[in-house]
Amino acid sequence: MSIRKAVIPAAGLGTRFLPATKRVPKELLPIVDVPTIQYIVKEAVDSGIEEIIFITGRGKSAIVDHFDHAPELERKLEEQGKHELLESILEVANMASMVSVRQRDPRGLGHAVLCAKDVIGDEPFVVLLGDDLVDDPTPCSRQMIDVFNKYGKSVAALMRVAEEDVPKFGIVGGHSIDERVYELDTMVEKPDVESAPSNLAIVGRYILKPEIFKYLEETKPGKGGEIQLTDAMARMMKVEGFVGYEFSGKRYDAGDKFGFLQANIAYGMKRRDIAPRLKAYMRELIKGS
Ligand code: G1P
């Protein structure tokens, strides 16, 4: 069955970026001049996704507005002959069909995904977490859909992390079955280094079979008192199987201040209008330090 729908949880409070996120959703903070969530939606669309389901909360309506038409602005840009800018905002408004579901209480990632149950129905879907930007010529979600189509099992994106970072991630255990592909037998949300099954971390991309909703409904609050997606996946894995896929690409943690700056520099370096000045400026900074 082809994968047509993507869930993008975007209800988090963004406390790590206060005061910037007091009023502005963290998902709209820009990497150069594009909001982080626009990169995420583009990855989904470039991977063949037709419908985006945002899980939003209070104060997040600007996200949905960002992907809508802005008739006054469009008219102004047209009148002023600013065609490139006009095209850039028309492109955003025409990316895909979008739905937003409100998560009334922030009860964790698992609960956020469960909120999409009725809109997803009975088909497999992608989950993309907005903090994880992955840069690769083949979009990360596309790579994962290909793995899903080959193995017919739910897929978690994996990346090796340094030992000290293990407690920040969902961590898996399993055995290799193909290049970059693992059959998983363990999943633990944010374990201590001592009890972690490996240093293979789950990064924010998942292909999930619709059976996940049944497991999410039965999942009790776990780590941090939240309903954890990893806990529901771990139980589903025992019955349905689950594969992990070490994706190709560079991942940026846009939910972290340093990762956010790294992404801004890296994406700036890929921009012809900015790269030469940015390079020269960084050389200057390094010389002066
Ligand atoms: C979430 C998941 C975790 C995963 C991480 C990837 O955690 O719960 O399993 O490893 O995303 O970014 P969060 O970073 O939202 O606390």
Side-chain angles (χ1 to χ4, degrees), residues 208-249:
L208 296 172
K209 289 186 161 192
E211 285 77 11
I212 192 67
F213 295 119
K214 184 178 78 193
Y215 294 94
L216 281 169
E217 275 166 345
E218 294 164 357
T219 300
K220 304 264 177 307
K223 197 95 191 177
E226 298 192 333
I227 296 174
Q228 296 292 349
L229 179 59
T230 307
D231 293 347
M233 290 182 352
R235 297 211 345 279
M236 182 161 91
M237 171 188 72
K238 301 258 189 267
V239 184
E240 312 258 344
F242 217 111
V243 297
Y245 171 66
E246 248 182 295
F247 60 93
S248 114

Side-chain angles (χ1 to χ4, degrees), residues 17 31 252-254 256-267:
F17 277 89
I31 305 294
Y252 298 93
D253 182 1
D256 167 76
K257 291 183 201 54
F258 182 68
F260 181 76
L261 288 174
Q262 272 182 313
N264 263 292
I265 294 170
Y267 283 60

Side-chain angles (χ1 to χ4, degrees), residues 82-94:
K82 294 186 173 163
H83 300 299
E84 255 179 59
L85 286 178
L86 177 60
E87 254 165 55
S88 76
I89 65 160
L90 287 178
E91 188 197 324
V92 179
N94 294 320

